[in-house]
Amino acid sequence: MSKIWVGTNWKMTKTIAEGISYTKELKQIANELTSTIELFIIPSHTALVDIKKEVSDSRIKLGAQNMHWEDTGAYTGEISPKMLDEIGLDLVELGHSERRQYYNETDAEINKKVRAALKYGMKPLVCIGENIDQKNNEISQEVLAAQLKVCLKGLSGDQVKQVLVAYEPVWAIGENGIPADAEYVGEIHTFLRRTLIEMYPNIGHEIPLLYGGSVNLDNFLPYIDQKDVNGLFVGRTAWNMETFTILLKELEKHISE
Ligand code: PEP
């Protein structure tokens, strides 16, 4: 698997104007990249239409942070896959730990969203991760296998080929996150790869496995060097264009060495 996926979820941090100016800058950096980095950004829903115009003449892929699984209906405050399809997105992030934690999203609901995304040709970026109690109780692998199996339940091999998986340990995410050891990340990714191959013997090896959780300029290279890490899902370090530029340029240099 030669492509390296690198992207960022802006969460609830950028206005439309801020998002447009960020994207204009990122486009310039993206133009200078020659490698096989697959770059994506995931703005807030309100900015998607404008940012779509910005990225349409670039290599930057565009995604949404969440959606409902139904096409239409009485679901106040929700956005449907049909609505996202009107904008024309490449991917949709599903099951981020903040969605699970603050909005009680379950793996079964994420599975419905995954199917809905596929119906509209959007790549589901499925986030999974164990919390600190689960890690301390040494059940991380069981928890992650269960999340993966339920989130991908019922998908055909052709469908699962479109899926991206992001491993994001809950204890490593955000301001209070503790960056994970690269070796731990490597072990978990190898476990996830094995699980995917058990589930899909013919294509399990092709599904990109991204790592996310306090990725920064000091740790991104050790993470990407892990055998089964196929990309980075970056929060705070990518929201700042200065640090994101350094990360992208150093990563490109590293992978072309
Ligand atoms: C995230 O919340 O998904 C994330 C990766 O954030 P950060 O890099 O800021 O920990």
Side-chain angles (χ1 to χ4, degrees):
M1 189 182 308
S2 52
K3 277 183 194 167
I4 297 212
W5 291 81
V6 181
T8 180
N9 155 24
W10 296 351
K11 303 193 183 178
M12 200 175 70
T13 66
K14 290 188 193 299
T15 62
I16 299 174
E18 288 163 349
I20 291 174
S21 107
Y22 176 104
T23 309
K24 283 188 193 298
E25 278 190 69
L26 186 61
K27 265 165 71 169
Q28 287 184 352
I29 316 296
N31 280 340
E32 292 163 23
L33 298 177
T34 52
S35 70
T36 51
I37 294 177
E38 289 281 3
L39 194 55
F40 63 92
I41 53 175
I42 309 190
S44 297
H45 285 128
T46 50
L48 285 172
V49 172
D50 289 296
I51 306 272
K52 170 72 185 182
K53 290 180 201 142
E54 287 299 327
V55 296
S56 49
D57 61 348
S58 82
R59 63 190 283 172
I60 304 171
K61 293 189 161 44
L62 185 64
Q65 295 181 15
N66 178 42
M67 63 174 198
H68 200 277
W69 56 86
E70 293 287 354
D71 279 354
T72 180
Y75 299 104
T76 302
E78 291 288 333
I79 304 268
S80 83
K82 192 173 168 190
M83 293 166 181
L84 294 182
D85 181 55
E86 261 188 311
I87 304 172
L89 301 184
D90 303 293
L91 55 111
V92 58
E93 176 181 1
L94 300 171
H96 188 279
S97 69
E98 288 151 14
R99 299 288 321 164
R100 294 171 184 264
Q101 192 179 341
Y102 304 135
Y103 307 100
N104 303 317
E105 269 189 24
T106 64
D107 291 322
E109 287 169 340
I110 296 160
N111 177 251
K112 290 195 219 175
K113 295 181 182 199
V114 167
R115 292 160 184 252
L118 291 167
K119 179 174 142 196
Y120 282 97
M122 288 179 278
K123 278 181 169 300
L125 169 58
V126 178
C127 301
I128 57 171
E130 82 282 18
N131 65 31
I132 194 63
D133 285 343
Q134 292 161 337
K135 177 171 188 281
N136 290 342
N137 282 309
E138 299 179 6
I139 55 167
S140 302
Q141 296 193 353
E142 288 85 340
V143 168
L144 293 166
Q147 290 180 353
L148 208 50
K149 285 178 184 170
V150 180
C151 290
L152 304 185
K153 189 164 177 231
L155 300 195
S156 68
D158 276 348
Q159 286 177 312
V160 91
K161 263 191 203 164
Q162 300 307 316
V163 172
L164 304 163
V165 174
Y167 167 54
E168 299 208 295
V170 181
W171 47 270
I173 287 177
E175 294 290 343
N176 300 318
I178 302 158
D181 289 341
E183 202 180 309
Y184 179 80
V185 171
E187 277 167 26
I188 294 286
H189 275 243
T190 296
F191 167 76
L192 294 173
R193 175 67 65 218
R194 233 180 18 243
T195 307
L196 286 168
I197 291 171
E198 270 164 36
M199 291 165 69
Y200 294 95
N202 297 327
I203 32 206
H205 59 280
E206 283 179 34
I207 302 165
L209 281 171
L210 283 63
Y211 177 70
S214 293
V215 171
N216 60 40
L217 294 183
D218 294 327
N219 62 23
F220 75 98
L221 288 176
Y223 288 148
I224 206 68
D225 280 343
Q226 301 301 313
K227 182 166 72 70
D228 293 301
V229 173
N230 315 115
L232 299 170
F233 197 22
V234 191
R236 290 155 296 152
T237 299
W239 299 343
N240 175 311
M241 193 50 68
E242 209 176 309
T243 46
F244 198 28
T245 304
I246 297 173
L247 186 152
L248 288 170
K249 293 199 165 162
E250 284 190 11
L251 178 63
E252 171 153 277
K253 189 162 154 256
H254 184 70
I255 57 184
S256 54
E257 270 165 7

